[in-house]
């Protein structure tokens, strides 16, 4: 069972960590490149603010974004803002998401996200938690995949392997963690590949944050994963 209240609390903690770390930057640092191709750190911060508002829309039964073009335009508009404005927006938008999460609701209901993707409302807080944690890493300001909690790392590995399961563009494979746990993912059929490594490196590969060079592959070569 997904504990949405626990995940909302985890979102609050992750947001405070990010805000505290980002406050150590200056305006010049915000304009520097993030670890995401084509995005500055300002783009990452702007995306996090607009994503919080978008997930409020999801919980209220509205479209997550008016359109893909509007989503991208909002991020481009907000990316150049100075640090104090970015942080104030991020804190305010996070508070709006937290307030929406406190509204009594049927958390078992199905909600719609981007591109027609549907999910249980109860998983929306975890999706926000993942946004905050992974984009904190993307800022490139000293927070790494290795700093993520074991709980979050395992749950995100589980989430991503489930997301790639049944995909014809990913070969059937087993993800083997350093504790021996094996999780099937990829297309249908018997897995011929086994990809092994540390949890942080496996998460980095599955989430498109690392190239997988630290992983070991048995039965073939490491496949390229489609973008998330």
């Amino acid at each position: 069972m997904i504990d949405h209240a626990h995940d909302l609390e985890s979102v609050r903690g992750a947001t405070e960590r990010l805000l505290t770390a980002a406050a150590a930057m200056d305006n010049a640092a915000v304009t520097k490149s993030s670890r995401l191709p084509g995005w500055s750190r300002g783009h990452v911060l702007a995306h996090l603010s607009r994503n919080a508002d978008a997930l409020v829309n999801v919980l209220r039964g509205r479209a997550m974004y008016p359109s893909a073009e509007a989503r991208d335009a909002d991020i481009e508009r907000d990316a150049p803002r100075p640090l104090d404005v970015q942080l104030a927006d991020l804190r305010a938008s996070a508070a709006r998401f937290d307030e929406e999460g406190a509204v009594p609701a049927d958390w078992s209901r199905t909600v719609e996200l981007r591109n027609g993707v549907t999910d249980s409302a109860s998983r929306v807080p975890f999706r926000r938690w993942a946004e905050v944690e992974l984009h904190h890493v993307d800022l490139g300001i000293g927070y790494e995949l290795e700093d993520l909690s074991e709980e979050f790392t395992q749950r995100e590995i589980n989430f991503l392997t489930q997301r790639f399961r049944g995909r014809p563009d990913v070969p059937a494979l087993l993800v083997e963690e350093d504790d021996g746990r094996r999780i099937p993912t990829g297309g249908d059929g018997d897995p011929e590949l086994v990809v092994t490594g540390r949890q942080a490196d496996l998460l980095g590969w599955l989430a498109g944050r690392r190239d997988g060079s630290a992983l070991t592959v048995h039965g073939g070569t490491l496949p390229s994963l489609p973008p998330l």
Side-chain angles (χ1 to χ4, degrees), residues 75-221:
I75 294 171
E76 290 296 333
R77 178 198 66 207
D78 294 343
R81 299 175 302 176
L83 178 63
D84 61 336
V85 178
Q86 295 277 14
L87 297 185
D89 188 16
L90 181 54
R91 186 176 291 280
S93 60
R96 289 191 290 272
F97 176 76
D98 193 50
E99 289 165 5
E100 186 63 29
V103 174
D106 174 13
W107 286 93
S108 67
R109 71 192 187 279
T110 298
V111 295
E112 184 172 341
L113 295 108
R114 293 180 66 198
N115 304 320
V117 173
T118 59
D119 204 349
S120 167
S122 63
R123 206 198 301 261
V124 170
F126 179 74
R127 285 178 175 270
R128 177 60 182 176
W129 186 10
E131 289 283 333
V132 175
E133 293 284 33
L134 293 179
H135 286 314
H136 190 167
V137 174
D138 293 335
L139 287 173
I141 55 175
Y143 192 67
E144 304 296 341
L145 294 174
E146 286 78 5
D147 295 316
L148 300 171
S149 71
E150 182 178 351
E151 178 201 355
F152 172 80
T153 300
Q154 185 60 63
R155 287 181 62 185
E156 184 67 357
I157 288 173
N158 293 345
F159 176 76
L160 293 172
T161 51
Q162 182 181 28
R163 186 166 179 173
F164 289 125
R165 200 167 297 146
R167 291 281 299 259
D169 51 351
V170 179
L173 60 89
L174 289 173
V175 168
E176 184 177 64
E177 301 179 31
D178 45 13
D179 62 1
R181 184 177 341 207
R182 286 186 166 193
I183 306 173
T185 191
D188 297 330
D190 295 330
E192 297 183 358
L193 299 177
V194 179
V195 179
T196 67
R198 297 184 312 141
Q199 285 184 321
D201 290 320
L202 287 167
L203 174 57
W205 174 62
L206 290 165
R209 266 66 180 184
R210 292 184 180 174
D211 62 10
S213 58
L215 303 175
T216 301
V217 187
H218 304 277
T221 59

